[in-house]
Amino acid sequence: MDSKSHFESAVVYEIFKKVWARSSEGTDIIPKEETEDTENVEDDSLVILGANAAAGPSRKPRSTTANANALKLTCELLKLFVSETVQRAAMVAEAEGSTEIDGSHLERILPQLLLDF
């Protein structure tokens, strides 16, 4: 794989936003500037108020954030994961005498790959 290829932080950031929004149904994704409690939030952060925030007056809203360094690290980990997946699937395909990777090759390597990561 090309050493210059990488995942864009913005794409990973959008994936995080969608996953967090789905996991906390009924919540709003709020830009950092619009929140009151931003002392511990980094500049390039996302704030999602949890669904439990509106549950009662005694609960303080909790937020989920991801700073720029966490996104960079996630991008690098994703790059390594995809690279390792392709390499392992290629080894299985080569052992079977195939020149292309197909779904059956991925099915064979995914259980061990997930355990390794």
Side-chain angles (χ1 to χ4, degrees):
M1 221 173 146
D2 184 11
S3 62
K4 292 183 181 182
S5 63
H6 62 281
F7 290 93
E8 294 291 327
S9 295
V11 173
V12 174
Y13 183 73
E14 290 299 319
I15 292 169
F16 280 170
K17 287 194 314 189
K18 287 186 183 285
V19 170
W20 289 334
R22 286 182 185 165
S23 67
S24 57
E25 280 183 14
T27 62
D28 294 323
I29 299 173
I30 302 171
K32 180 188 77 107
E33 300 82 29
E34 296 177 18
T35 61
E36 294 174 12
D37 183 25
T38 58
E39 295 88 37
N40 298 325
V41 177
E42 296 287 329
D43 286 337
D44 298 330
S45 295
L46 162 73
V47 176
I48 299 177
L49 296 180
N52 294 334
S58 64
R59 291 192 174 222
K60 182 178 178 181
R62 298 182 310 171
S63 63
T64 303
T65 62
N67 66 29
N69 289 332
L71 288 173
K72 287 178 187 176
L73 183 61
T74 303
C75 290
E76 186 62 28
L77 182 63
L78 190 56
K79 177 182 159 186
L80 291 172
F81 183 79
V82 170
S83 175
E84 185 68 22
T85 301
V86 170
Q87 289 175 1
R88 290 184 188 194
M91 287 177 22
V92 170
E94 186 179 332
E96 291 180 353
S98 178
T99 58
E100 293 182 1
I101 299 171
D102 63 21
S104 65
H105 301 127
L106 292 172
E107 288 174 358
R108 291 182 54 197
I109 59 110
L110 280 178
Q112 187 62 46
L113 181 72
L114 294 175
L115 287 173
D116 289 346
F117 273 85

